[in-house]
Amino acid sequence: MQFDLPGRRIEWFSSIDSTMTVAARLAREGCPSGTIVGADAQTAGIGRHGHSWHSEPGSGLYVSIVLRLALGAESLPLVMLALGLATQHAIAEVTGLAPDLRWPNDVLLNDKKCAGIMAHLEGDAVIAGIGINVGHSSFPPDIAPLATSLLLAGAPASRERLLGALVSAIDETCSVLTQAGPAAICDAFARASTYAQGRRVRVDQDNAILEGVTQGLDASGFLLLRQDNGTVTKILAGGVRPI
């Protein structure tokens, strides 16, 4: 890939186990904020909660970015929302498509997942991992009903251009979070997602399945769910799916 990102440290690999692993090491070594680790293919791509990420060679944008933000560890859920907004914005800018956001970390096209986001702390840095399905023409049978790509959605795109748009959007949304505060990010996410408010969903928790209607986000970026018995529950984690 050819990059037009002056001033950025970029470590790019033809193949790697996971960009997250290398980005975490660079963060420990003191790399500057905004450092990008990317790969044309991942042999052990990491999704949330230990799930794998399908990383077909040359077909997706697989990157991890080191962010050094003036925020505490309690702000990590809000950073996730900011990254989701940035990914949505970048895809829309490059393709003209209108992606949806499913709390907390999925970007959807036609109700199928086209991008996923994860983030974790490494010392004083946030390691933001983003995978976008760009040129995939098909997926393995186990995920084919759930996944799509920009190509399958009718908008083939340049990975290089998408990376530039993504980096710019992350800078913008993280700046909103650090300068305007959590409410600004929560409000923006609620406006950008059909899942945040008034959507009937099922939430897969570790020991239970909850059903109800979403009631927006709390100040920390967690999803509020009004269950059928009237109880409003704060969802800290778990798979959210429409009913």
Side-chain angles (χ1 to χ4, degrees):
M1 288 178 63
Q2 300 295 315
F3 307 104
D4 185 20
L5 295 167
R8 294 270 178 172
R9 178 178 176 181
I10 301 174
E11 301 285 342
W12 201 270
F13 301 84
S14 58
S15 181
I16 196 175
D17 54 355
S18 169
T19 61
M20 294 290 284
T21 305
V22 175
R25 174 177 59 79
L26 295 179
R28 291 193 297 271
E29 294 172 354
C31 72
S33 185
T35 295
I36 299 168
V37 178
D40 293 322
Q42 295 182 114
T43 58
I46 302 172
R48 290 187 80 228
H49 304 306
H51 296 161
S52 62
W53 183 264
H54 177 63
S55 305
E56 181 180 309
S59 294
L61 186 63
Y62 317 121
V63 296
S64 294
I65 303 176
V66 179
L67 302 172
R68 300 189 187 276
L69 307 171
L71 298 168
E74 72 282 355
S75 296
L76 193 60
L78 294 163
V79 175
M80 286 278 292
L81 300 186
L83 294 170
L85 284 164
T87 305
Q88 181 192 50
H89 292 170
I91 292 172
E93 177 185 330
V94 171
T95 66
L97 299 171
D100 194 7
L101 291 172
R102 181 171 61 201
W103 186 94
N105 70 323
D106 293 339
V107 184
L108 308 178
L109 287 168
N110 302 319
D111 295 323
K112 291 187 174 185
K113 186 171 178 176
C114 70
I117 298 107
M118 64 178 299
H120 69 76
L121 294 172
E122 188 67 47
D124 64 348
V126 174
I127 311 300
I130 300 173
I132 304 176
N133 300 330
V134 181
H136 301 67
S137 58
S138 63
F139 291 90
D142 59 329
I143 63 171
L146 306 174
T148 190
S149 69
L150 306 187
L151 176 65
L152 290 173
S158 155
R159 290 187 298 149
E160 292 87 348
R161 187 179 171 207
L162 189 60
L163 178 60
L166 179 64
V167 168
S168 177
I170 288 174
D171 286 348
E172 181 178 345
T173 57
C174 285
S175 177
V176 169
L177 176 57
T178 56
Q179 296 182 23
I185 286 296
C186 289
D187 289 347
F189 190 95
R191 290 194 304 270
S193 168
T194 68
Y195 280 79
Q197 182 80 41
R199 185 75 174 262
R200 184 163 180 79
V201 299
R202 176 182 294 111
V203 183
D204 186 2
Q205 301 277 270
D206 289 337
N207 56 0
I209 301 291
L210 307 180
E211 293 187 359
V213 177
T214 57
Q215 301 292 298
L217 307 177
D218 77 353
S220 298
F222 294 115
L223 185 67
L224 300 176
L225 179 73
R226 182 178 296 278
Q227 297 183 68
D228 295 339
N229 63 9
T231 302
V232 176
T233 301
K234 181 190 299 186
I235 306 299
L236 303 180
V240 176
R241 296 295 182 267
I243 297 177

